[in-house]
Amino acid sequence: QLGGWVERCYYRIVMASTSASRSSVTNFTGESALLLHKDMIQDHGRYLSVLHGGCSPEEALDRTLCAPDTSASPARGAARSVSIQLTKEQAAKYFPSGDSGAFYKLSVLSTAETEHFSVPTNMSPIIMRTVCGSLASKKLRIYELEGSDLAELIQRACGDGEIDFVATAQEIGRRLDVRCQPQATAESTTERRILLICGMSPAMDCIAKKPDYRPEMRTVLDMVLCDVMIRYNITVIQAVRKKEEDRVNAVRQLALACLYYGYLVA
């Protein structure tokens, strides 16, 4: 049974790029086709792999349902897994038992390889992608952000004077986009970004106890989150509490979502 986290991650990632009308088959994207047939198939990754091989949505559905163990899958015989690239500290936090016997394979970066993430404008992301034989999915970059850091950023931006709250929220959203910006590569434009915010509610409650707190700060927070999702296409997931297991569960569920829903291309 897949948990609610997986479903939410799936719908946010898929719906972000779904713009075609379901009344016009010729305008279907792979994502919208999958949404239409989602409840009829078990292996969504295989369906999308067949679809991107040149089939129509209906042909891909027929091949997936009628011949699930034949050449419908370009990577027949290879096992699907999730490749996870992360730092040594992240591996110890999220996958302390390693990858022995798991559906994921860890690639731990050396200190030298992670040096380029140490600049103030970037965070070291956890990078996930589904792989099966010679095929692989798009990369999913997961950036962590402490709720206390975002709360303090909002507090400083709001200040005591009269400000434009909309412009302030947009500026904070721009900073978060820059902070979560991957290094420019040929495939970076197609990669998905997720901002995992940890302990946002406790952080805002703490700010609310300070003498310079303004009730508008919570509204600015809502506008910031909307801004990064709408303008910059960054998926926001919150580990509401400050407890470590909340963020660990979110990262592991994202890995599970990659395994089930990552579609593969050559």
Side-chain angles (χ1 to χ4, degrees), residues 35 102 180 234:
L35 283 177
C180 299
I234 299 176

Side-chain angles (χ1 to χ4, degrees), residues 20-29 32-33 36 56-58:
S21 169
R22 294 189 179 186
S23 61
S24 177
V25 176
T26 58
N27 291 330
F28 267 24
T29 62
S32 58
L36 180 63
S56 69
E58 289 72 19

Side-chain angles (χ1 to χ4, degrees), residues 25-30 32-34 36-37 46-64:
V25 176
T26 58
N27 291 330
F28 267 24
T29 62
S32 58
L34 179 56
L36 180 63
H37 301 309
R46 173 176 291 176
Y47 171 76
L48 285 171
S49 297
V50 175
L51 179 69
H52 285 282
C55 297
S56 69
E58 289 72 19
E59 290 172 337
L61 178 64
D62 288 342
R63 293 179 63 182
T64 303

Side-chain angles (χ1 to χ4, degrees), residues 5 38 43 47 54 93 106 119 124 150 183 186:
W5 266 106
K38 176 177 178 292
D43 191 338
Y47 171 76
K93 180 193 298 185
L106 302 181
V119 293
S124 178
L150 180 54
Q183 293 202 347

Side-chain angles (χ1 to χ4, degrees), residues 21-206:
S21 169
R22 294 189 179 186
S23 61
S24 177
V25 176
T26 58
N27 291 330
F28 267 24
T29 62
E31 292 84 356
S32 58
L34 179 56
L35 283 177
L36 180 63
H37 301 309
K38 176 177 178 292
D39 296 328
M40 301 177 65
I41 53 179
Q42 293 182 344
D43 191 338
H44 298 181
R46 173 176 291 176
Y47 171 76
L48 285 171
S49 297
V50 175
L51 179 69
H52 285 282
C55 297
S56 69
E58 289 72 19
E59 290 172 337
L61 178 64
D62 288 342
R63 293 179 63 182
T64 303
L65 293 179
C66 299
D69 296 319
T70 64
S71 59
S73 173
R76 179 174 176 246
R80 290 169 66 91
S81 63
V82 178
S83 172
I84 304 177
Q85 179 180 298
L86 69 180
T87 65
K88 182 178 179 180
E89 293 75 16
Q90 291 168 335
K93 180 193 298 185
Y94 295 111
F95 306 96
S97 59
D99 57 10
S100 178
F103 66 85
Y104 51 82
K105 303 297 181 183
L106 302 181
S107 176
V108 180
L109 299 176
S110 65
T111 302
E113 290 175 313
T114 58
E115 283 182 351
H116 67 282
F117 289 123
S118 62
V119 293
T121 55
N122 281 281
M123 296 178 289
S124 178
I126 300 172
I127 303 177
M128 298 182 181
R129 73 189 312 173
T130 311
V131 294
C132 185
S134 62
L135 306 183
S137 68
K138 298 176 182 177
K139 289 182 179 178
L140 183 67
R141 292 180 175 267
I142 305 167
Y143 296 85
E144 295 178 80
L145 177 64
E146 296 297 331
S148 56
D149 292 342
L150 180 54
E152 291 175 6
L153 182 60
I154 292 174
Q155 184 183 27
R156 290 196 302 269
C158 289
D160 299 324
E162 206 172 295
I163 65 168
D164 184 333
F165 292 107
V166 174
T168 298
Q170 290 179 337
E171 173 58 22
I172 296 175
R174 185 194 66 79
R175 294 184 188 180
L176 292 179
D177 173 58
V178 172
R179 194 177 184 187
C180 299
Q181 198 67 247
Q183 293 202 347
T185 63
E187 62 177 350
S188 62
T189 57
T190 65
E191 295 173 354
R192 300 289 188 182
R193 293 181 292 168
I194 288 183
L195 181 60
L196 176 60
I197 304 178
C198 309
M200 192 72 248
S201 294
M204 291 302 294
D205 291 342
C206 181

